[in-house]
Amino acid sequence: MKIIAYGIRADEKPFLDKWSEENSDVEVISTGKLLDETTVDQAKGADGVVTYQQKPYTADVLDKLGRFGIKYLSLRNVGFDNVDVDAAKRNNIRVTNVPAYSPQAIAEFTVTQLMRLLRRTNTFDRKMANGDLRWAPDIADELNQMTVGVYATGRIGRAAIQIYKGFGAKVIAYDIYHNPELEKEGIYVDTPAELYAKADVISLHAPATKENEHMLDDAAFAQMKTGIYILNPARGILIDTDALIRALDSGKVAGAAIDTYEDEVGIFNSDFGSFDKIPDERLKNLLKRENVLVSPHIAFYTKRAVHNMVYYAMDANKSLIKTGKSDKLVDL
Ligand code: COI
């Protein structure tokens, strides 16, 4: 049995090597390169492919995997919005993801960023670096006095809710699907508009779907309280960046923590050598603001999460090859 793992980073390699040692019945080939038209030929002869990347898994690539007789594609991450669904289906390629490598990693980072916004740490860091050790005018807000509106109560949303509650915040939530436990607590509101109107903080934990694209646009910001805080550790496409910039300019949004950005592919997790060389003016606009925390999609990036991403994806791919079954199949 042979599995090829694409896009293996240096921080993943030790986990892959350990998995390989523990699964001596599997021949594991790995490459640092991403799975695309220029590298897909390396998969010839493999029984399954394990991969993670943010750029698309295109029809050309999936057609080629199909021609090589490869039927199993296991992603090391949650989101599968970059898979060409029609091509996967016509080639009978079954796709697995890792739905829960560490929801807590993302939840903890989200709340960390909110606390940084509320306590104005960015502003104080910049002031202190210039020898300004005064308090005013950068007085903080307290989370325990606030209402947090959680958009989507999947695993990550629920992990975030636990932490918000630990801080003593009031939590309300919106989701099409209601979690029975949260339902009992009565935290759900009926519409996104109600969430926007009642919350002091919007914490986004929704997947990227056609319906969710630019869900936070001018109209959504207009429904929110002035001074709202926006957190997006989920998917860049959820926020219309131009609308966010307008809402920051007008003071409608008091602060935003953006771990995902709609044009992040090819930009995040790259080194441009200096701020000026970052090839995206809108991103630089956001990065320059004291009340905006931009981070390069790192909420997931913990040792536990990376370990689980490698292990769960490799396990899923092996299971598909051996038995045709996996509990991590995604519904394309
Ligand atoms: C996902 O798992 O879908 C993520 O967003 C994290 C990714 C950057 C590895």
Side-chain angles (χ1 to χ4, degrees):
M1 190 186 329
K2 184 164 152 184
I3 298 177
I4 177 159
Y6 280 93
I8 290 291
R9 304 181 307 267
D11 53 86
E12 293 179 298
K13 190 74 171 56
F15 298 127
L16 184 66
D17 289 345
K18 189 146 186 289
W19 187 92
S20 182
E21 252 171 61
E22 292 165 9
N23 291 269
S24 51
D25 51 336
V26 183
E27 185 188 344
V28 179
I29 314 277
S30 74
T31 166
K33 295 200 174 127
L34 301 180
L35 174 60
D36 62 18
E37 290 75 7
T38 65
T39 59
V40 62
D41 284 347
Q42 289 182 50
K44 211 172 183 174
D47 301 294
V49 172
V50 168
T51 170
Y52 162 67
Q53 65 198 34
Q54 287 188 301
K55 63 189 258 193
Y57 301 106
T58 63
D60 281 354
V61 166
L62 297 172
D63 286 343
K64 239 183 177 177
L65 291 181
R67 284 204 293 281
F68 296 158
I70 296 173
K71 299 282 167 238
Y72 309 123
L73 181 68
S74 295
L75 313 183
R76 301 195 292 281
N77 62 309
V78 188
F80 48 91
D81 39 89
N82 52 347
V83 176
D84 185 314
V85 172
D86 293 338
K89 283 186 176 160
R90 82 170 160 263
N91 287 291
N92 292 317
I93 294 177
R94 298 165 79 202
V95 178
T96 61
N97 69 347
V98 183
Y101 42 80
S102 175
Q104 292 79 8
I106 294 148
E108 285 181 10
F109 186 78
T110 308
V111 184
T112 301
Q113 294 296 74
L114 173 60
M115 292 314 296
R116 290 184 63 207
L117 287 173
L118 298 183
R119 302 314 297 249
R120 319 277 188 266
T121 59
N122 214 8
T123 303
F124 277 105
D125 287 349
R126 291 185 195 197
K127 276 167 62 168
M128 302 262 303
N130 290 318
D132 179 355
L133 277 56
R134 289 172 300 172
W135 304 338
D138 303 300
I139 195 157
D141 294 305
E142 291 183 33
L143 181 50
N144 67 79
Q145 302 291 302
M146 304 176 98
T147 299
V148 181
V150 173
Y151 194 110
T153 55
R155 291 181 183 86
I156 299 171
R158 295 203 300 279
I161 287 173
Q162 262 196 341
I163 306 176
Y164 290 132
K165 283 187 189 156
F167 273 91
K170 178 174 178 199
V171 179
I172 56 174
Y174 174 78
D175 202 319
I176 317 168
Y177 310 102
H178 285 196
N179 173 272
E181 295 305 312
L182 295 178
E183 177 84 38
K184 274 190 226 143
E185 293 175 24
I187 73 164
Y188 285 108
V189 295
D190 294 330
T191 59
E194 201 180 335
L195 192 83
Y196 301 155
K198 289 185 171 159
D200 302 303
V201 177
I202 297 290
S203 193
L204 294 177
H205 303 288
T209 60
K210 280 209 177 69
E211 299 73 48
N212 287 343
E213 186 170 338
H214 284 185
M215 54 176 273
L216 294 197
D217 56 7
D218 288 313
F221 287 122
Q223 292 166 22
M224 296 177 193
K225 291 185 191 175
T226 295
I228 190 87
Y229 289 91
I230 303 291
L231 311 173
N232 186 10
R235 280 291 179 266
I237 202 74
L238 303 183
I239 296 184
D240 174 346
T241 307
D242 293 327
L244 174 63
I245 288 173
R246 285 190 285 273
L248 284 159
D249 285 341
S250 72
K252 182 73 169 187
V253 171
I258 303 295
D259 189 50
T260 59
Y261 167 58
E262 54 182 320
D263 294 329
E264 71 182 59
V265 177
I267 294 192
F268 283 1
N269 205 12
S270 305
D271 182 5
F272 296 101
S274 75
F275 182 85
D276 291 342
K277 292 193 186 127
I278 297 173
D280 186 310
E281 292 309 314
R282 280 198 311 183
L283 187 62
K284 285 202 278 203
N285 175 324
L286 291 169
L287 277 161
K288 280 185 199 152
R289 294 170 188 256
E290 270 180 23
N291 60 342
V292 177
L293 300 173
V294 179
S295 47
H297 210 139
I298 51 169
F300 84 100
Y301 195 52
T302 66
K303 291 170 191 148
R304 173 190 177 215
V306 173
H307 168 276
N308 289 347
M309 290 162 115
V310 170
Y311 264 67
Y312 296 170
M314 292 298 292
D315 285 344
N317 207 255
K318 180 178 173 181
S319 166
L320 281 174
I321 297 166
K322 265 183 101 164
T323 67
K325 291 190 191 128
S326 164
D327 59 358
K328 297 198 169 44
L329 277 173
V330 298
D331 197 4
L332 287 176

